[in-house]
Amino acid sequence: MSTREYMLGNVAIARGIVEGGGKVISGYPGTPSSEIVDTLSAMKERDFYVEWSVNEKVAMEVAAGAAMTGVRSVVTMKHVGLNVAADPLMTLAYMGVKGGMIIIVADDPACHSSQNEQDTRRYSEFSLMPCLDPSTPQEAKDMIPYAFEFSEKFEIPVIFRPTTRISHGKSEIELGTITDHKVEAKFEKDTSRWVMVPSNAVIRHPHLLEIQKGIMEELESSPWNELTINESSKIGVIASGLASVYAKEAMENLGLEASFLKIGAYPVPEGLIKKMFEQCETVLVIEELEPIVEDRCKVIAKDIDSPVKILGKTGGYVPRVSELNIDKCVKAMGEAFGIEVDVPEIAEPELELPPRPPALCAGCSHRATYHAMLKTFGKKAVFPSDIGCYTLGVQNGTVDTTLCMGGSITVASGIYNAGEKQPICCSIGDSTFFHTGINGLLNAVYNKSNITITILDNRITAMTGHQPNPGMGFTSTGEPTKEIDMELLCRGLGTEFVETVDPYDVKATEEVFKRAKDFEGPAVVITRQACVIHARRAGVRRVPFQVDTEKCIGCRMCVNLGCPAIEFDKETKKAHINAMCTGCGLCSATCKFDAIVEVQK
């Protein structure tokens, strides 16, 4: 009797890992992938090891080490995280694995929570590793056990590529049987394989190329690729991953008679594509982001000297940016096949809505840090920043650059070494500092960069869902562990100026920043205050504030802090503090007229 449960896509993927017998799971939090490890870590009964690693490269290597012993392993990350892990990825393709290894990389078309829209399928092409591209949460779960077996058959890791709509979509999932995959971990020494010196690498590279034929043949007949030939039609549609669901529904809406090929595994099924070309004169390729399938189709058509006309992103039928949807697919089919379609345009609301840009939470300690930073260094200073909640400081004038995880310190060093005369004060979060900021600080100390480094320590990895990090004293499963002393770590890297301050103490924070600004050489200021959401969940309750309307003159200084808890009444021309107030006290500390006071009990 089958069991069905309604669950999030990432939870379904986690279930697939359990069903497939995954024994070592590592990862670094990054939306939209975070809930996979969160789900596994929260399981009370488990026969596997799971960890949040300090970054994606480390996570990749942990999973690779486990797979070398014959144990099934998984590593999770978001698409930009694979850039961090690309170094071990490329050599791991040569080395291969013994136990099944799955590299879960969640892509984010439309940049819902990312700095770019890169397509992980390119890494699959680049590394020559096979890639599975699920079209539904159910398929995502079902692919995981298959991927373990496939990986072990060819002794190569398998890339698994869910997108935001798969990871964060919800649906009813039919559960499968949990595999009793008990393998004793045993590392067998083989320097010709596990030691990638040049003499071994030049042998393993041809091996990687040799197994490609078998990989392609196996995936060709896998359940993830489906070809339906319509013998009465000379047109065809090829769609991949989630886009195949949109494309199929668009065809049904149009009543389109056409052959249809769904692709869910890479390398692309060349045999199925050739069969479609034998039937069709025009083929439309629908895929999100990069024209990977489309480009391959053109190569195949040229190789077999096929006259088929291939349409897609070339010619602008299918957009190369953002997410696809049914309407976009209907429009693409209409233009490609000369069908008159009626795609309704989204009507603009008659009511003029106020702009609602994302903002730091009410009471967020980063706001207090940025206030003190801006007041101390001035608007002309340069403020390189990093990836995290604090990137929202762009609205406060304290975020001038954001490149990648850990890039703030190194970018700041580059700006200084270029000869910039204005003061430079960069900002980085605690988890991001542990991720890749440590090397940046080491570089700044070694090369004598005269910059101020602000580490915004909110005691959690807040942006991705409140995961722990090495500075917190417990692991992903809640087990106590060594709490890394960030101040001691910075001093150990050679930093002479290191001071920690509570950003809610505005005056003290300003004084520390002044000393850091005057210090010659790299100076580290650690502003430490727990994330307001995490603190509330832990039971912390501070006394909220209110405006004394008798003293308020309507100067808007408190409103300009950008706190969602502070409003301005246009009728009374007075500030007002709403129920969102968490009692941080920043507004009270900045009010020159003592008009903001604690609510009396």
Side-chain angles (χ1 to χ4, degrees):
M1 183 177 178
S2 64
T3 304
R4 303 181 72 89
E5 289 186 19
Y6 192 71
M7 56 178 62
L8 189 75
N10 278 342
V11 177
I13 293 170
R15 169 71 189 196
I17 293 170
V18 175
E19 289 181 3
K23 297 302 178 187
V24 173
I25 300 94
S26 58
Y28 184 80
T31 307
S33 71
S34 305
E35 293 86 358
I36 299 170
V37 170
D38 283 343
T39 300
L40 296 170
S41 297
M43 292 177 63
K44 293 181 180 179
E45 295 183 8
R46 56 180 180 272
D47 62 349
F48 52 82
Y49 171 80
V50 57
E51 74 170 36
W52 280 126
S53 308
V54 296
N55 67 29
E56 295 86 356
K57 178 179 184 292
V58 170
M60 179 78 75
E61 293 156 354
V62 167
M68 289 175 191
T69 70
V71 167
R72 290 183 170 180
S73 68
V74 177
V75 58
T76 75
M77 63 196 73
K78 68 185 295 179
H79 60 294
V80 287
L82 191 54
N83 299 331
V84 179
D87 189 1
L89 176 83
M90 301 306 296
T91 303
L92 186 57
Y94 283 27
M95 187 180 289
V97 292
K98 284 293 185 182
M101 178 176 171
I102 305 174
I103 302 168
I104 300 178
V105 186
D107 281 7
D108 189 22
C111 293
H112 292 283
S113 56
S114 310
Q115 63 267 41
N116 71 35
E117 290 185 292
Q118 73 186 50
D119 193 325
T120 296
R121 294 178 300 167
R122 289 291 190 204
Y123 269 111
S124 173
E125 283 188 320
F126 191 18
S127 65
L128 295 179
M129 286 184 185
C131 175
L132 299 180
D133 192 9
S135 62
T136 65
Q138 177 70 58
E139 195 171 69
K141 181 199 75 71
D142 295 340
M143 279 180 167
I144 296 294
Y146 173 91
F148 277 131
E149 294 178 5
F150 189 95
S151 174
E152 288 170 352
K153 181 174 182 177
F154 292 95
E155 295 193 349
I156 190 170
V158 173
I159 296 174
F160 181 77
R161 180 203 180 237
T163 57
T164 301
R165 298 296 175 183
I166 297 294
S167 292
H168 288 170
K170 285 187 176 182
S171 67
E172 192 174 49
I173 303 296
E174 184 171 349
L175 306 183
T177 304
I178 294 177
T179 303
D180 185 19
H181 192 268
K182 293 183 179 178
V183 176
E184 182 182 355
K186 182 176 178 56
F187 179 78
E188 297 180 355
K189 295 187 178 184
D190 183 356
T191 55
S192 67
R193 178 170 182 181
W194 304 129
V195 181
M196 276 300 109
V197 292
S199 60
N200 292 335
V202 295
I203 296 173
R204 293 297 297 182
H205 189 193
H207 168 76
L208 177 60
L209 297 174
E210 286 168 9
I211 65 174
Q212 292 304 304
K213 183 180 179 181
I215 288 173
M216 291 180 69
E217 290 176 352
E218 181 87 8
L219 292 177
E220 181 100 19
S221 59
S222 74
W224 321 121
N225 299 319
E226 298 176 12
L227 173 62
T228 303
I229 292 292
N230 188 318
E231 294 182 354
S232 64
S233 174
K234 292 296 182 182
I235 61 174
V237 175
I238 299 176
S240 64
L242 180 61
S244 66
V245 178
Y246 300 143
K248 199 164 188 177
E249 190 164 341
M251 289 173 66
E252 291 172 359
N253 290 351
L254 287 170
L256 184 65
E257 295 290 330
S259 296
F260 182 73
L261 172 59
K262 172 205 164 190
I263 295 178
Y266 301 85
V268 298
E270 294 195 6
L272 299 181
I273 292 172
K274 289 175 182 177
K275 286 182 181 179
M276 176 174 275
F277 287 176
E278 291 173 3
Q279 172 66 28
C280 301
E281 296 175 353
T282 304
V283 171
L284 174 65
V285 181
I286 297 177
E287 56 190 323
E288 286 188 326
L289 300 181
E290 291 300 289
I292 290 171
V293 175
E294 180 182 340
D295 289 347
R296 192 62 198 159
C297 283
K298 291 176 180 177
V299 171
I300 294 169
K302 187 175 181 180
D303 284 346
I304 62 175
D305 198 24
S306 172
V308 65
K309 187 177 182 181
I310 300 167
L311 308 176
K313 298 181 189 299
T314 304
Y317 296 97
V318 180
R320 194 169 174 174
V321 298
S322 196
E323 295 175 303
L324 296 179
N325 56 38
I326 297 169
D327 286 345
K328 289 179 181 179
C329 291
V330 167
K331 185 178 179 183
M333 291 174 188
E335 292 177 353
F337 303 131
I339 304 169
E340 189 174 337
V341 298
D342 182 20
V343 179
E345 293 186 8
I346 300 175
E348 293 293 329
E350 295 181 4
L351 179 66
E352 186 177 347
L353 299 175
R356 294 178 183 272
L360 296 169
C361 298
C364 177
S365 61
H366 300 335
R367 182 178 290 104
T369 297
Y370 281 148
H371 171 79
M373 186 189 297
L374 190 62
K375 188 173 181 181
T376 304
F377 287 86
K379 293 182 179 179
K380 291 185 178 181
V382 183
F383 299 106
S385 191
D386 227 293
I387 305 294
C389 297
Y390 44 86
T391 311
L392 295 172
V394 67
Q395 298 170 14
N396 299 65
T398 44
V399 172
D400 291 327
T401 72
T402 301
L403 178 62
C404 63
M405 291 284 283
S408 58
I409 303 176
T410 39
V411 167
S413 293
I415 292 173
Y416 169 75
N417 292 324
E420 174 61 51
K421 304 302 181 185
Q422 294 296 334
I424 302 167
C425 181
C426 65
S427 53
I428 187 170
D430 50 338
S431 182
T432 311
F433 178 71
F434 289 124
H435 179 278
T436 36
I438 296 173
N439 286 345
L441 178 58
L442 178 62
N443 185 73
V445 172
Y446 174 63
N447 289 298
K448 303 179 182 179
S449 299
N450 188 20
I451 59 176
T452 299
I453 300 102
T454 307
I455 304 177
L456 302 106
D457 183 4
N458 63 358
R459 316 300 298 144
I460 202 79
T461 311
M463 185 181 185
T464 53
H466 297 89
Q467 292 83 12
N469 64 57
M472 297 181 60
F474 61 90
T475 67
S476 66
T477 57
E479 298 174 47
T481 186
K482 175 70 176 179
E483 180 179 336
I484 304 302
D485 187 323
M486 191 179 292
E487 189 168 319
L488 189 62
L489 175 59
C490 293
R491 293 188 187 281
L493 293 173
T495 316
E496 295 179 9
F497 184 105
V498 184
E499 291 197 31
T500 304
V501 67
D502 179 357
Y504 283 172
D505 188 339
V506 178
K507 187 175 180 181
T509 304
E510 290 176 1
E511 289 173 353
V512 171
F513 272 130
K514 286 177 183 176
R515 290 196 294 275
K517 182 183 178 183
D518 294 339
F519 183 80
E520 189 66 31
V524 172
V525 176
I526 302 171
T527 58
R528 179 167 294 148
Q529 181 58 249
C531 164
V532 66
I533 295 176
H534 185 63
R536 282 216 158 197
R537 289 174 179 171
V540 176
R541 295 290 185 272
R542 295 184 176 86
V543 179
F545 285 76
Q546 64 183 8
V547 176
D548 184 339
T549 54
E550 296 297 322
K551 293 182 178 180
C552 178
I553 66 166
C555 69
R556 290 177 176 262
M557 184 174 290
C558 58
V559 178
N560 292 338
L561 292 171
C563 179
I566 305 175
E567 303 169 348
F568 191 78
D569 191 321
K570 292 182 179 179
E571 292 185 5
T572 63
K573 295 184 179 180
K574 305 280 186 179
H576 169 71
I577 296 178
N578 60 38
M580 296 175 68
C581 179
T582 60
C584 73
L586 174 61
C587 55
S588 178
T590 56
C591 180
K592 296 180 179 180
F593 307 98
D594 298 323
I596 301 178
V597 296
E598 288 186 341
V599 173
Q600 297 299 312
K601 294 184 180 179

